[in-house]
């Protein structure tokens, strides 16, 4: 096992814990309420799932993605899907960043949030493909 293999294996476990933990938070009522509020207005229209459904769906995606990173046969596909997931949820993060008076500490400024999402996506790919 090379050093890259060890780093990727450790990273997979860390990211799995992170994604599963964040996913579970989607089911904590007070946290889920804040997440529902972060759904941008453009996604709150007829034909779109409700904010509640979106929070539940994203929570399940995070939990399953975290677990999937640990399954050797699924790791590559799950890594790509998690990066697509990070892209899909970014509008909610950008909306929170644009409304710090409404979201307080959750409203991480746009540029640091964007850099964080890109770094997280890169780490996911390293864990999945490493």
């Amino acid at each position: 096992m090379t050093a890259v293999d060890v780093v990727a294996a450790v990273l997979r476990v860390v990211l799995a814990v992170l994604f599963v933990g964040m996913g579970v938070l989607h089911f904590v009522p007070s946290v889920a309420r804040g997440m529902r509020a972060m759904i941008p207005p453009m996604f709150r229209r007829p034909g779109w799932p409700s904010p509640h459904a979106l929070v539940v769906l994203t929570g399940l995606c995070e939990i399953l993605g975290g677990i999937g990173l640990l399954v050797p046969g699924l790791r590559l596909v799950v890594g790509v899907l998690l990066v697509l997931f990070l892209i899909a949820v970014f509008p909610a993060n950008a909306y929170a960043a644009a409304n710090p008076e409404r979201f307080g500490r959750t409203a991480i400024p746009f540029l640091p949030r964007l850099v964080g999402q890109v770094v997280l996506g890169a780490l996911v790919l390293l864990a999945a493909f490493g």
Side-chain angles (χ1 to χ4, degrees), residues 43-126:
F43 297 112
R44 296 172 177 265
R45 51 184 193 214
W48 284 84
S50 70
H52 173 77
L54 289 172
V55 169
V56 169
L57 177 64
T58 55
L60 290 172
C61 287
E62 286 182 307
I63 292 167
L64 293 173
I67 294 168
L69 279 177
L70 300 175
V71 179
L74 298 177
R75 199 166 44 220
L76 301 176
V77 171
V78 168
V80 171
L81 290 174
L82 280 172
V83 169
L84 293 174
F85 170 82
L86 291 171
I87 293 167
V89 299
F90 191 74
N93 295 323
Y95 180 68
N99 295 282
E101 69 288 342
R102 181 173 181 194
F103 295 106
R105 292 185 337 203
T106 307
I108 297 169
F110 182 81
L111 191 55
R113 175 77 78 164
L114 176 61
V115 170
Q117 291 282 93
V118 170
V119 169
L120 182 57
L123 290 173
V124 166
L125 292 177
L126 175 62

Side-chain angles (χ1 to χ4, degrees), residues 10-20 66 69 120 123-124 127:
V10 169
L11 193 53
R12 276 192 291 278
V13 172
V14 169
L15 288 171
V17 169
L18 174 79
F19 276 105
V20 170
L69 279 177
L120 182 57
L123 290 173
V124 166

